[in-house]
Amino acid sequence: MRYAILLAYDGTEYGGWQIQKNSITVQEKLEEACEKVFGKKTNVTASGRTDSGVHAAGQVCHFDADTTIPAEKIADVLNRFLPPDIAVLLSCAAPGNFDANRSAKKKTYCYRCYLSDRRNPLKDRFSVWVKNPVDIAKLQHISESFVGKHDFKAYCKSGSQVKTTVREIYSVKVTVKESALCKDLEISVCGGGFLYNMVRTVAGTMLNYAEGSLTEEEIARSLNEGDRESVGRTMPAKGLTLEKVEYDIPLFD
C-alpha cells in the first residue's frame, strides 16, 4: 500500500535530501527508520531534493509498505527511530498512483534574513544576517519582476543538467517583522518548480537591488537575456526552508 508523510527537518547537519556516498542525508535517515519499522528496505521519494544545509517545514514524501500499523499512526512509529532534527508531522494512506515528486503542483520556499547592525547567534541557524541597509520598498517593488514564466538559466548553478531552465513563478511575497533590535525579513517564493540554487539566487538578487548594487535594468537583462553578470549573490543555504508542497488532491485533511 502507498503512504504519504509530511516531514520537517533541520538541514544543518545534512548533505541535503538525496542519499550520497560522502555525507549523511535526510533520505538516508528516513529510509533507515522505515527499514526498522517495516522490516525491509523501503525506498522513500520526496517532492524534491533540498540542498545541503536547507531546511524543510513541509516536505512531502511517499513510500510503499505492507504493514498493519494504522496510516495515521505511522508518523509516531517512525519518529521513534529518527534523530531529533528530523520528524514526521503527519502520515496517511495515499492513492496508488500518487507520486510525491511527479504529482506536485506548487512548492513554496521561504528565505529568511534578519537586518541588524550586529549578528545575533540565536537567529543564525535558520536565517542570515544582513548588515547592509536594505530598502524594503525597493525589495517589494522588484519582487514582481520574478512573477510569471521566465528563463531562469542565469539563476541556477553553472553546469546544471536540466531539460529546460524555464520556470513559472506564481508569487513572490516580502514580509517584514520589526523589533527593537532588528527586522526579520521573509521572502516567500511559490512556483511550479525550481532550479538548483534558484530561490537562493533570486533572494540574493532582490537584496542586491534593495541595497543599491544592482539596477532594475540589470535584473530585467538577467531574465530576458540570461546575463549572469546581472545576477546578485547566491545566499547561504541555512536561510532557506521548503515551507509547503501542494497537490490536486487533499492528502492530510
Side-chain angles (χ1 to χ4, degrees):
M1 186 170 180
R2 182 148 296 186
Y3 296 93
I5 59 172
L6 185 67
L7 191 69
Y9 49 85
D10 173 349
T12 305
E13 303 299 330
Y14 298 98
W17 161 261
Q18 189 177 28
I19 289 177
Q20 303 171 29
K21 291 182 178 179
N22 300 319
S23 62
I24 299 171
T25 66
V26 178
Q27 184 183 22
E28 177 184 345
K29 289 296 182 181
L30 186 56
E31 291 190 354
E32 286 176 355
C34 284
E35 186 169 359
K36 291 174 182 176
V37 171
F38 305 123
K40 60 184 295 187
K41 181 173 175 55
T42 303
N43 296 318
V44 180
T45 299
S47 69
R49 305 171 186 174
T50 51
D51 300 334
S52 177
V54 173
H55 318 292
Q59 175 70 281
V60 177
C61 309
H62 83 259
F63 56 83
D64 294 326
D66 182 12
T67 179
T68 58
I69 303 170
E72 69 276 9
K73 296 295 184 182
I74 287 176
D76 296 318
V77 181
L78 283 174
N79 284 335
R80 296 175 192 168
F81 300 98
L82 287 169
D85 49 8
I86 303 175
V88 181
L89 305 179
L90 294 168
S91 56
C92 68
N97 62 351
F98 172 76
D99 186 298
N101 178 265
R102 298 178 185 274
S103 302
K105 299 301 180 184
K106 293 182 181 180
K107 297 177 185 177
T108 301
Y109 280 88
C110 183
Y111 198 88
R112 292 180 170 86
C113 309
Y114 65 99
L115 315 180
S116 174
D117 291 336
R118 297 172 185 85
R119 186 181 67 83
N120 185 336
L122 296 183
K123 292 181 177 291
D124 274 348
R125 196 169 182 92
F126 301 105
S127 62
V128 173
W129 176 39
V130 176
K131 186 178 181 180
N132 297 335
V134 173
D135 187 325
I136 301 300
K138 289 184 68 176
L139 202 65
Q140 297 274 11
H141 170 73
I142 204 62
S143 66
E144 292 299 319
S145 298
F146 299 95
V147 177
K149 190 173 288 187
H150 301 285
D151 188 341
F152 284 95
K153 66 180 179 181
Y155 288 79
C156 68
K157 187 175 181 180
S158 179
S160 296
Q161 296 181 347
V162 291
K163 292 181 179 180
T164 176
T165 51
V166 174
R167 295 291 186 273
E168 185 171 5
I169 299 300
Y170 303 122
S171 66
V172 180
K173 297 179 180 179
V174 177
T175 305
V176 180
K177 296 178 182 178
E178 191 166 356
S179 68
L181 294 176
C182 72
K183 292 178 181 178
D184 289 307
L185 173 65
E186 295 184 353
I187 300 173
S188 294
V189 184
C190 176
F194 299 94
L195 301 166
Y196 183 56
N197 280 356
M198 178 177 156
V199 177
R200 290 161 56 191
T201 308
V202 166
T205 299
M206 289 174 61
L207 285 166
N208 273 73
Y209 170 75
E211 292 167 351
S213 59
L214 272 181
T215 66
E216 193 167 352
E217 291 71 26
E218 286 176 307
I219 292 174
R221 191 160 59 245
S222 73
L223 293 168
N224 297 330
E225 302 174 19
D227 180 13
R228 290 184 181 275
E229 298 300 318
S230 300
V231 171
R233 62 193 187 269
T234 298
M235 299 296 288
K238 66 180 181 178
L240 186 62
T241 300
L242 173 59
E243 293 289 330
K244 181 170 63 174
V245 186
E246 298 176 64
Y247 299 89
D248 281 342
I249 59 172
L251 278 176
F252 304 106
D253 291 355

